[in-house]
Amino acid sequence: MRQSRLFGKTTKTIPRDIKAISHQLLYQGGFIRESAAGRYYFLPLGIKVRDKIIKIVEEEMNKAGAIKLITPVLHPIELWKNTQRTESVGFELMKVKDREGNDFVLGGTAEEMIIDLVKKFNISYKDLPFNIYQFSQKFRDELRPRGGLLRVREFLMKDAYSFNLDEKDFKGEYQKMWKVYTKIFKRLGLETIVVESDNGYIGGDYCHEFVVESEVGESRFFISEDGKYAAHEDVAKFKKERKNLDEEEKRLEEVEAKRGKTMEDGVKLHRLPLWQQIKDVMFIDDKERFILAVIRGDFNVNETKLRNLIGVNNLRYADDEEIRKLGSEPGFISPVGINKKVIIVADDSLRTIKNAYGGANKKNRDLLNINIDRDYKPHFEGDIALAEEGFLSEQGSRLREGRGIEVGNIFQLGYYYSKKMNATFTDKDGKEKFYYMGCYGIGIDRTLATIIEKHHDKKGMVWPAPVAPYDVHLIEIRNQRDKTRGVAERVYNILQSLNIEVLYDDRDESAGVKFADSDLIGIPIRMVVSEKTIEKDSVEVKRRDEDKSRLIKIDEIEREMDKAIKD
């Protein structure tokens, strides 16, 4: 490709609102441009990289026995209603009508479409298991797209779906995809941490994210120092130390408590440890029910765990007026004697303490010696606590907080969708049985941005060879036009004859501009033809990730490229 004919130009200026390094470099290098918020044009350099990522993913999926297909972008809304996902997804569905008034959604994920397709065939146990996948545009009306390709409203995803006989059959596929994903990301130049995570709107019982550590990432996770446990903050578990369980339960007592509304105010007034205080957080769910989360004072409530435990999609904090209408008082809420319409949800940490203290549902009044079961009975009980750095994993190793970019995920769906959509196969006994399912996603565009976040320097991108837009950046430095042009054309032809992808900078620009653009674009090997090199019938060769260059004879280019490819 002659750079003079390349569509898309480099630029030195960056809009002020572009913060992420990957976004800055993709913009400066002429790889992408924004259309509307969260939607991007991929320019020739960008599409070259994207296609190479797709090729690697496709190769590894095919090796694993998965089969590629494609589904329509518009999904009949009835399919999403079948699974009750029209209102439960974690993003705003984008809806359209056709000329006949039929309702569709723009696909955010494709579980319903894939199952609808599979149901069109008469499948028996002999056909199972199978794994089908696609590369397709996804649409999610994100509230705040950010970070260039890191969080967008329209993006390319590889999504795969496995159909299995039962849980045992599925677990083998799950582990296979785990290994395949690890290999894919390694080929792309990314080291991933696999963390337990929340299924959210996808459904099922468990899933794992493949996360690349990065400060710009939105995935907050915890990993134990021994490396044996890693989990997203939404689901991370930790060891809750048993405190004063050897104490006898004391008589419940109401006392005057002229204090502020904070937990620290309670500690100062009663001169008792924070862990012995009860923390009460009042929420309102999507059915307008009051939910009181009760937890040990030294812990915080994890809203994701809370939603999952009680089976709701959304929660919001109750305001002071709403709390007072219940007959309680902000800052002095208590599960003891609370309005009966309130659903009490207790964290299991309350089983590690006795004789707790906290509010009495009245201003400036507290209760001492509160004990679960005796003084209040929760409607739900379980783990609703938020992990924090320094806590101990359940195995006893200290947790470290990390932040990263989620580039892929694998989900156990079980019977979640097959039962909702009545998707069955014929078993060996002749009976109809529901598929046991899994799904597996890779965000292609986000992965592209993540590669840059991990592979760049102060001059620009440093593409790993397998995904670089070109193998070689050939630069002609013109002093004596006829001589350099002729040799540069000769080198260009040699590289093309070797099936080497080459970007040939034949522009009428200074050496400084060409070198700066070459560093910015980040192609792995740079070859320079100049007056100095042609005197020795040579080219100057430099790797993007090295500081020093060297001269090689033009007739050694083939051997040099063979060596570079092997490396």
Side-chain angles (χ1 to χ4, degrees):
M1 179 70 195
R2 296 177 185 273
Q3 199 162 341
S4 61
R5 305 299 300 162
L6 181 68
F7 181 78
K9 298 181 182 295
T10 60
T11 180
K12 293 181 180 179
T13 59
I14 306 170
R16 290 183 179 180
D17 60 336
I18 294 180
K19 304 299 182 184
I21 289 294
S22 58
H23 194 184
Q24 292 176 5
L25 295 178
L26 286 169
Y27 181 90
Q28 282 187 286
F31 284 68
I32 63 171
R33 281 296 182 272
E34 191 170 41
S35 168
R39 295 179 175 88
Y40 286 87
Y41 296 102
F42 273 77
L43 306 182
L45 289 175
I47 205 70
K48 288 274 288 181
V49 177
R50 190 200 227 189
D51 285 346
K52 290 188 175 183
I53 294 172
I54 291 170
K55 182 181 178 183
I56 288 172
V57 174
E58 186 171 353
E59 286 175 356
E60 295 302 330
M61 290 297 293
N62 291 347
K63 286 178 187 177
I67 305 163
K68 190 170 102 171
L69 46 70
I70 192 70
T71 64
V73 168
L74 289 181
H75 300 185
I77 200 168
E78 289 77 13
L79 295 178
W80 282 66
K81 287 180 178 178
N82 285 343
T83 59
Q84 292 87 50
R85 288 213 300 166
T86 48
E87 303 300 331
S88 65
V89 293
F91 55 89
E92 187 68 25
L93 280 177
M94 302 185 69
K95 302 173 184 178
V96 298
K97 284 183 182 288
D98 67 10
R99 65 177 64 194
E100 296 176 354
N102 297 312
D103 291 313
F104 295 86
V105 299
L106 289 170
T109 62
E111 286 77 11
E112 290 86 354
M113 291 292 282
I114 291 291
I115 293 173
D116 183 59
L117 170 64
V118 170
K119 285 176 65 177
K120 297 180 186 296
F121 294 88
N122 184 20
I123 291 174
S124 79
Y125 71 96
K126 295 179 182 179
D127 303 308
L128 300 178
F130 61 85
N131 186 326
I132 49 183
Y133 76 99
Q134 64 176 344
F135 294 93
S136 67
Q137 289 295 110
K138 297 292 188 288
F139 301 86
R140 299 180 184 176
D141 202 6
E142 295 282 357
L143 181 62
R144 287 182 291 272
R146 58 174 291 275
L149 300 182
L150 294 175
R151 179 166 290 278
V152 292
R153 290 178 172 148
E154 181 177 342
F155 57 96
L156 185 69
M157 176 180 279
K158 188 286 298 178
D159 48 325
Y161 306 86
S162 66
F163 291 76
N164 300 88
L165 290 162
D166 51 30
E167 184 176 10
K168 181 180 179 182
D169 187 39
F170 162 75
K171 285 185 175 179
E173 188 70 21
Y174 197 80
Q175 288 303 313
K176 182 195 293 185
M177 285 295 102
W178 186 313
K179 292 177 182 177
V180 167
Y181 272 34
T182 301
K183 187 173 182 181
I184 285 171
F185 292 122
K186 189 170 184 179
R187 286 185 64 183
L188 296 175
L190 297 174
E191 291 296 326
T192 54
I193 298 172
V194 185
V195 304
E196 294 179 18
S197 55
D198 177 52
N199 274 29
Y201 55 82
I202 296 295
D205 294 328
Y206 58 86
C207 71
H208 292 82
E209 289 182 3
F210 288 74
V211 175
V212 176
E213 283 205 84
S214 171
E215 285 302 313
V216 301
E218 294 183 332
S219 286
R220 180 171 172 258
F221 63 92
F222 295 92
I223 185 168
S224 61
E225 290 179 342
D226 61 10
K228 294 180 179 179
Y229 178 74
H232 192 281
E233 67 171 337
D234 288 344
V235 299
K237 298 178 181 180
F238 59 93
K239 192 173 184 178
K240 297 170 184 177
E241 183 185 356
R242 296 161 67 90
K243 293 294 187 179
N244 61 339
L245 296 183
D246 56 339
E247 285 187 14
E248 291 292 329
E249 290 188 0
K250 299 177 183 178
R251 179 176 61 85
L252 183 66
E253 182 181 357
E254 183 176 324
V255 298
E256 185 178 36
K258 292 183 178 180
R259 60 172 176 80
K261 296 180 180 180
T262 70
M263 301 296 292
E264 290 73 18
D265 290 327
V267 170
K268 290 178 182 178
L269 176 66
H270 297 290
R271 298 182 180 180
L272 291 169
L274 180 63
W275 57 258
Q276 202 167 354
Q277 188 174 182
I278 289 181
K279 180 180 291 183
D280 306 273
V281 186
M282 188 71 76
F283 295 93
I284 297 177
D285 71 6
D286 44 16
K287 297 177 182 177
E288 293 301 309
R289 299 179 302 176
F290 286 89
I291 310 294
L292 179 62
V294 188
I295 195 169
R296 213 171 82 182
D298 53 340
F299 298 145
N300 290 309
V301 174
N302 182 320
E303 290 186 39
T304 300
K305 289 181 180 179
L306 177 59
R307 287 197 308 267
N308 291 342
L309 180 61
I310 62 179
V312 301
N313 296 318
N314 296 295
L315 292 169
R316 66 174 178 84
Y317 292 104
D319 61 32
D320 288 358
E321 183 179 349
E322 289 169 322
I323 292 170
R324 290 191 176 103
K325 283 182 179 180
L326 282 173
S328 186
E329 177 67 25
F332 294 85
I333 303 172
S334 174
V336 181
I338 193 73
N339 190 308
K340 290 183 178 180
K341 68 169 64 174
V342 175
I343 297 171
I344 300 172
V345 185
D347 183 63
D348 54 16
S349 63
L350 296 170
R351 298 288 177 185
T352 68
I353 61 173
K354 283 189 177 181
N355 301 318
Y357 65 101
N361 291 313
K362 305 169 190 174
K363 188 172 183 179
N364 295 334
R365 303 294 293 180
D366 277 350
L367 291 174
L368 303 180
N369 306 320
I370 304 169
N371 289 287
I372 191 170
D373 294 335
R374 186 193 71 179
D375 302 315
Y376 67 95
K377 296 185 182 298
H379 299 90
F380 295 88
E381 184 176 344
D383 175 24
I384 59 169
L386 186 68
E388 295 182 21
E389 184 165 74
F391 285 2
L392 296 178
S393 72
E394 292 185 323
Q395 294 73 35
S397 180
R398 201 162 298 280
L399 295 175
R400 172 182 70 82
E401 180 183 334
R403 186 170 292 276
I405 303 167
E406 175 197 350
V407 289
N409 45 52
I410 55 178
F411 294 84
Q412 176 265 12
L413 300 179
Y415 300 115
Y416 185 86
Y417 289 93
S418 58
K419 286 186 176 181
K420 288 179 182 293
M421 296 186 69
N422 195 32
T424 62
F425 66 94
T426 306
D427 204 0
K428 63 179 65 177
D429 57 9
K431 295 181 179 179
E432 295 296 308
K433 295 188 178 178
F434 293 109
Y435 295 104
Y436 200 99
M437 292 180 58
C439 71
Y440 319 89
I442 293 177
I444 302 299
D445 302 341
R446 181 183 289 185
T447 297
L448 187 155
T450 305
I451 293 170
I452 300 171
E453 291 290 340
K454 302 303 290 186
H455 296 276
H456 70 271
D457 59 20
K458 63 182 180 181
K459 295 180 180 179
M461 295 167 268
V462 186
W463 290 108
V467 295
Y470 291 91
D471 301 318
V472 173
H473 201 168
L474 174 62
I475 296 176
E476 175 198 355
I477 305 300
R478 300 180 188 174
N479 282 342
Q480 298 179 19
R481 181 183 178 87
D482 293 339
K483 290 184 179 181
T484 55
R485 172 53 57 90
V487 175
E489 292 285 346
R490 177 185 165 200
V491 173
Y492 183 45
N493 290 332
I494 289 172
L495 291 169
Q496 288 186 308
S497 71
L498 297 173
N499 293 318
I500 301 298
E501 291 184 299
V502 54
L503 179 63
Y504 171 25
D505 193 346
D506 60 338
R507 298 174 299 165
D508 187 15
E509 294 284 358
S510 69
V513 168
K514 291 187 175 187
F515 287 149
D517 282 354
S518 182
D519 285 335
L520 173 61
I521 293 170
I523 294 169
I525 296 174
R526 186 177 77 193
M527 288 188 180
V528 178
V529 174
S530 65
E531 185 176 6
K532 180 180 70 173
T533 67
I534 63 177
E535 291 175 355
K536 299 180 180 180
D537 197 31
S538 301
V539 292
E540 182 182 285
V541 177
K542 177 184 174 297
R543 295 187 66 92
R544 177 62 182 84
D545 57 358
E546 295 178 352
D547 294 328
K548 294 183 179 180
S549 62
R550 55 197 175 85
L551 290 178
I552 66 166
K553 295 292 185 181
I554 292 176
D555 60 11
E556 294 177 352
I557 287 176
E558 181 173 0
R559 185 175 63 184
E560 181 71 19
M561 293 312 302
D562 283 342
K563 181 178 180 296
I565 291 171
K566 289 177 182 178
D567 291 343

